[in-house]
Amino acid sequence: MVLAGMILDGGGLFQVCAYAFVGFWVGALVHLARHKGEQTKTDVFLLRYGHFLLCVLSYFLTGWIWKLRGYDYLIRQLFE
């Protein structure tokens, strides 16, 4: 998060990373609260590498949110 915040792109990459960060930890905490100690191989895989999958998903989610807000110039800057 610190490195993403230091990139001078108007906060675009930081917002992408922030969505992935929050989404991963909310999902991980909900999962750990519901499955106390009963982890399958899929659970372990998603807890280890799920953040990378969410980074890709949040990249597109951020562009969609910016388009809804009317920040089309930021979409062109981020996605080019």
Side-chain angles (χ1 to χ4, degrees):
M1 294 296 292
V2 172
L3 293 175
M6 291 176 19
I7 294 176
L8 299 174
D9 66 344
L13 188 63
F14 180 78
Q15 191 171 11
V16 169
C17 291
Y19 289 155
F21 181 79
V22 171
F24 173 78
W25 282 109
V26 167
L29 292 174
V30 167
H31 171 75
L32 292 174
R34 295 189 75 197
H35 295 270
K36 300 178 182 180
E38 302 171 10
Q39 308 297 329
T40 65
K41 289 182 181 180
T42 305
D43 296 336
V44 172
F45 176 80
L46 289 175
L47 287 174
R48 283 187 185 162
Y49 304 110
H51 185 262
F52 300 115
L53 298 172
L54 282 176
C55 282
V56 172
L57 179 67
S58 67
Y59 182 78
F60 296 106
L61 177 68
T62 302
W64 180 66
I65 289 172
W66 285 354
K67 188 173 182 178
L68 289 175
R69 287 181 164 179
Y71 298 131
D72 292 338
Y73 65 94
L74 290 174
I75 294 172
R76 288 191 297 273
Q77 179 183 0
L78 182 64
F79 290 102
E80 288 179 353

